[in-house]
Amino acid sequence: MTNVTAPRAPDLDLAVQAADAAALAAGVSVREVLDLQELGLVVDLFATIWGRDENPPVTLELLRAFTKAGNYVGGAFEGGRLVGACVGFFHAPAEDALHSHIAGVSSTAVGRSVGFALKLHQRSWALLRGVSEIAWTYDPLVSRNAHFNLVKLGALPAEYLPNFYGAMPDRINGADDSDRLLVRWPLRSAEVQAAASGDAVREPVGPNAVVALSVGPDGLPVRGRLDGDTSLVAVPADIETLRRVDPQAAQQWRHAVREVLTELVADGSRITGFDRTGGYVVRRTPDPLRDGALR
């Protein structure tokens, strides 16, 4: 890995500048967290966000080991108060990637782009260490996270993972299956560099998109056609509230989105973006044999 004290290339300076600008705009200071007491604040913050005081998502011992081994723990501070944190660990050496395992922002700081500042700090931290990609998973039913990851950050969907973590009975996940969408963030791509500067990566839907899954009048999923070159797969507006007030409806959405996305991908399509009004944008990959180009 590169020496972080060596002279930096221009793209690394730009990454650091983008991270600093995002932190300033969010009104926070973002930095590595290494001190044992501050690592404890990270544990407490995640326990509060996920409602898991007795079984926090990460432990102090694990974070201590992560930092000692050179992995990433970043914190967003407002004055001396921790309002956001992000934790990542390295992939196998040949993969040249960091896995961003968990990130969260205090309810007192939501809506100020603290999460954006954290991710740009993590990006600059990784680039300074010679890492070219960050990967992470998120719940594909959470529309605001889909927009944040695919549009605001420019991450690329890579794989749908049904019930990835198994049961996660907490404030956010409830009793639902823990399906996740794995995304990859190519840190030096032109799209990600633009996103880091505030230019969101918007996927044009086009007039011929087919609705593969929509929201019915009763708020439940309605399956449509799966034969479009471009398909739209809707998700509920607020799955977290739906899990609390109508768990059965939330499970219907989980199964419907899982089935439609996995069927489309299995038939040669890939998820390319997210549209706030239509949902996931899924495009069919050209197949010369199927499309008759070799006849």
Side-chain angles (χ1 to χ4, degrees):
M1 292 187 180
T2 59
N3 182 350
V4 297
T5 63
R8 296 199 295 247
D11 63 331
L12 300 185
D13 283 329
L14 289 174
V16 173
Q17 291 166 15
D20 290 344
L24 181 64
V28 294
S29 172
V30 184
R31 56 177 171 80
E32 274 191 89
V33 179
L34 301 171
D35 175 77
L36 189 63
Q37 183 176 358
E38 289 188 341
L39 291 172
L41 296 178
V42 174
V43 173
D44 293 343
L45 176 67
F46 288 156
T48 300
I49 293 171
W50 272 266
R52 290 172 53 177
D53 291 337
E54 300 301 321
N55 178 31
V58 293
T59 64
L60 180 60
E61 294 85 353
L62 182 64
L63 293 187
R64 187 65 156 172
F66 274 4
T67 58
K68 179 62 176 175
N71 293 289
Y72 178 81
V73 180
F77 292 85
E78 186 175 41
R81 186 169 64 97
L82 181 73
V83 296
C86 186
V87 176
F89 51 85
F90 288 107
H91 284 209
E95 295 185 29
D96 182 30
L98 183 79
H99 184 81
S100 187
H101 174 58
I102 187 170
V105 174
S106 167
S107 60
T108 64
V110 169
R112 289 169 33 195
S113 295
V114 173
F116 186 62
L118 277 166
K119 293 304 292 184
L120 291 198
H121 180 270
Q122 187 184 53
R123 173 177 178 258
S124 67
W125 183 95
L127 283 170
L128 288 168
R129 286 156 180 79
V131 177
S132 63
E133 180 182 275
I134 298 176
W136 65 90
T137 65
Y138 75 94
D139 185 343
L141 292 186
V142 182
S143 60
R144 71 174 187 279
N145 285 353
H147 181 267
F148 177 72
N149 291 321
L150 306 187
V151 178
K152 191 163 185 178
L153 293 178
L156 304 174
E159 186 178 0
Y160 192 97
L161 304 167
N163 202 24
F164 184 60
Y165 291 109
M168 300 179 71
D170 56 39
R171 180 180 299 152
I172 292 177
N173 295 283
D176 198 4
D177 286 352
S178 59
D179 288 23
R180 294 294 182 265
L181 189 63
L182 174 69
V183 296
R184 299 189 181 279
W185 204 26
L187 304 182
R188 284 190 167 91
S189 74
E191 292 79 10
V192 171
Q193 291 183 46
S197 299
D199 188 6
V201 179
R202 304 191 186 281
E203 178 76 6
V205 175
N208 298 319
V210 170
V211 177
L213 191 69
S214 62
V215 183
D218 55 0
L220 295 177
V222 177
R223 188 178 172 109
R225 293 164 45 199
L226 303 186
D227 58 353
D229 289 333
T230 299
S231 300
L232 292 174
V233 180
V235 295
D238 185 355
I239 187 61
E240 290 163 311
T241 297
L242 191 62
R243 286 185 183 125
R244 292 194 298 270
V245 302
D246 192 345
Q248 186 175 11
Q251 289 186 354
Q252 288 186 50
W253 270 108
R254 172 69 78 202
H255 295 151
V257 171
R258 177 196 294 171
E259 290 168 5
V260 170
L261 284 180
T262 54
E263 285 182 35
L264 286 170
V265 170
D267 193 39
S269 297
R270 63 186 183 91
I271 306 167
T272 59
F274 186 80
D275 178 81
R276 274 184 160 167
T277 59
Y280 287 100
V281 181
V282 186
R283 299 193 188 278
R284 188 178 300 277
T285 304
D287 183 335
L289 292 175
R290 181 192 62 222
D291 299 336
L294 298 184
R295 289 185 298 178

